[in-house]
Structure formats: C-alpha cells, structure tokens
Amino acid sequence: MSKTPMARLDRLLANLGYGSRREIADLVRHRQVVLDGEVLKDPGAKVPVTADLPQRMTVVDRPVDPPAPLTLVMHKPLDVVCSHKEPGRSVYELLPRRWRARMPGLSTIGRLDKDTTGLLLITDDGAFLHRVISPRSHVAKRYRATLDRPLEGWEAETFAGGRLVLDGDTDPLAPAILEPIGPQEAYLTITEGRYHQVRRMFAAVGNHVVALHRDRIGGLALPEDLAPGAWRPVTASEQAAILA
Ligand code: URA
C-alpha cells in the first residue's frame, strides 16, 4: 500500500494561498483550522495531503481548497484571455483570488483565443500538461467552427492529406478531420496546437471562421452542466479520458 503523503500544515496552507506562514499560525491560534472534526493547534503539525482533504479539513468554516495535483475543467466564455501577459480579463480571474498565490501555480493546458469558447483545462501538474500538449501524444481536440462562406466540399481532403502548410509555417500540418454539420458549420479535429491553428486552416482554404467553440479534448467532452464561465475539478475518470 502506498504511504499517504504528509505536509506541515503551515506549508500546505501557504502553498494553497491562504497567507504567509505567520498568517497561518494566526489562523491556527484562532482555532480556524479543523481536520476530521478536531481543531488543529500546531501550525507545524503533519497533515495528509490527499484529494479528499476538502472533505476532511475546514479553514474558517469553509472546506479547504483542493491540494495539488489539481486539474480543472472550465467552459471558457467569450472575451477572456488564457495568458497572464495578454491585456484583458483572464481565465484566472474566474477562479478564487487566493488561487493566484498557489504553489505550484495553475496554467492552462494550451490556449484558446479571446474569441473562442469551450473546453479549457487548467492544471498545476506539469507532467500531465506536457503529456496532453505533446504532439507525440496525438491528443485530439475537436472544434465546432461557424464559417463566413459555405464549404465547397473538397476541404476535408485537403485537411486530411497531411501536406497543407500554413502561411508563415515551414512544416506541413498533421492530418486533420473535417466533418461538415451544415453548409457553414463543421467539426474540425486536430492533434496539434499551433498558433490560431483552426482559423488559419480555414483561411488557407479561402474561408473565414466567425465563431469557434472547442467541445472535446481526447475522450473528454465539455460537460453539459458547465455554463460559460463555470469550472470545477476534473474527476479521476475524466482525467483518464483526456489521454485515452
Ligand atoms: N485554433 C484557433 O484558431 N483558435 C483557438 O482558440 C484554438 C484553435
């Protein structure tokens, strides 16, 4: 049986963004940290760091935040950016403010443009992030594109051929699957994550994307219960489905 990972209480809560070790010592002194129904009295106490910690520990009467490793699924809304550096409201601002101080920090797994909606993964698990974005993993990402002009019928063959070179690129794209769902609407499934890839692919065949929504990564579909802007931790089976 594997041993339960343990951490010092003050270090764990500091890494979850609850404040400095001194501020956490104050919380403990004010009897604000409870584990399994018992008030913790020592900020240096060793506590279990397991996924069920939020069901076992409270901080100021609220379940403690989930410890690392943490992966979230979000329904990215329009008009938010995926990078801390870009101007504008970011997806990180949709999460609790305290989470900006988490260590390790949270990053999006790949990016969606400001005007793309849909399934976005956010994680503090670097190894998982790299497995999902590595071209060697061939994780499929499916987008629903609404187009400015009707499809002509030959585009699927061009995308599937593995010979299309986008403007500004030197390497051809990996084969991609186009499935029309209406004259000006189609699913496009790609396994790479190049800059503005889907918009540039349609531009390369003389069309223009007017709306773009990602609805699937690997075997994980955007959960129907997530409204735009909503998010939650992935379940273990959802996390496995991403790489399945
Ligand atoms: N391709 C794009 O062009 N934009 C996205 O947001 C994602 C994929």
Side-chain angles (χ1 to χ4, degrees):
M1 228 169 66
S2 61
K3 264 174 70 184
T4 304
M6 306 290 282
R8 269 181 71 108
L9 176 64
D10 52 2
R11 179 172 303 210
L12 171 73
L13 294 185
N15 287 345
L16 291 177
Y18 284 90
S20 64
R21 297 213 356 215
R22 197 197 195 132
E23 286 164 334
I24 286 149
D26 280 346
L27 280 175
V28 172
R29 196 151 37 81
H30 288 101
R31 305 170 59 83
Q32 296 298 329
V33 185
V34 175
L35 175 66
D36 295 331
E38 297 227 354
V39 173
L40 294 178
K41 299 201 176 74
D42 174 9
K46 287 283 172 68
V47 294
V49 188
T50 49
D52 67 352
L53 198 60
Q55 286 91 63
R56 298 178 58 185
M57 182 184 280
T58 58
V59 179
V60 197
D61 299 325
R62 308 283 301 259
V64 71
D65 295 337
L70 174 65
T71 298
L72 307 173
V73 53
M74 177 183 279
H75 185 162
K76 180 192 170 294
L78 274 176
D79 292 329
V80 295
V81 297
C82 284
S83 151
H84 293 289
K85 290 182 198 138
E86 268 177 84
R89 191 159 178 245
S90 85
V91 291
Y92 301 103
E93 291 171 54
L94 301 175
L95 304 175
R97 193 176 187 82
R98 177 168 65 237
W99 289 23
R100 289 177 217 169
R102 280 176 71 106
M103 298 248 281
L106 289 160
S107 310
T108 64
I109 301 186
R111 290 186 186 165
L112 292 177
D113 301 333
K114 188 172 181 179
D115 46 0
T116 301
T117 57
L119 175 53
L120 181 69
L121 299 171
I122 301 176
T123 192
D124 59 17
D125 181 342
F128 180 67
L129 183 151
H130 287 293
R131 281 182 71 194
V132 178
I133 64 173
S134 165
R136 273 181 296 167
S137 301
H138 299 290
V139 174
K141 283 143 295 203
R142 189 173 83 165
Y143 294 85
R144 193 178 69 226
T146 308
L147 304 167
D148 193 31
R149 283 184 280 286
L151 288 160
E152 294 185 5
W154 48 269
E155 296 90 342
E157 208 177 312
T158 301
F159 290 160
R163 287 196 303 274
L164 183 63
V165 180
L166 294 177
D167 251 1
D169 286 4
T170 45
D171 296 342
L173 290 170
I177 300 167
L178 182 73
E179 300 167 277
I181 46 179
Q184 290 177 222
E185 202 161 13
Y187 287 122
L188 178 61
T189 302
I190 62 177
T191 56
E192 299 166 290
R194 300 195 197 185
Y195 182 65
H196 294 328
Q197 182 169 337
V198 173
R199 292 173 203 274
R200 290 164 68 219
M201 286 176 75
F202 281 105
V205 294
N207 215 318
H208 176 73
V209 171
V210 292
L212 191 59
H213 177 83
R214 181 160 68 191
D215 73 343
R216 189 168 272 278
I217 299 178
L220 176 67
L222 177 64
E224 281 178 10
D225 61 321
L226 282 188
W231 56 271
R232 61 167 171 74
V234 293
T235 62
S237 62
E238 285 172 335
Q239 179 140 357
I242 292 162
L243 291 169

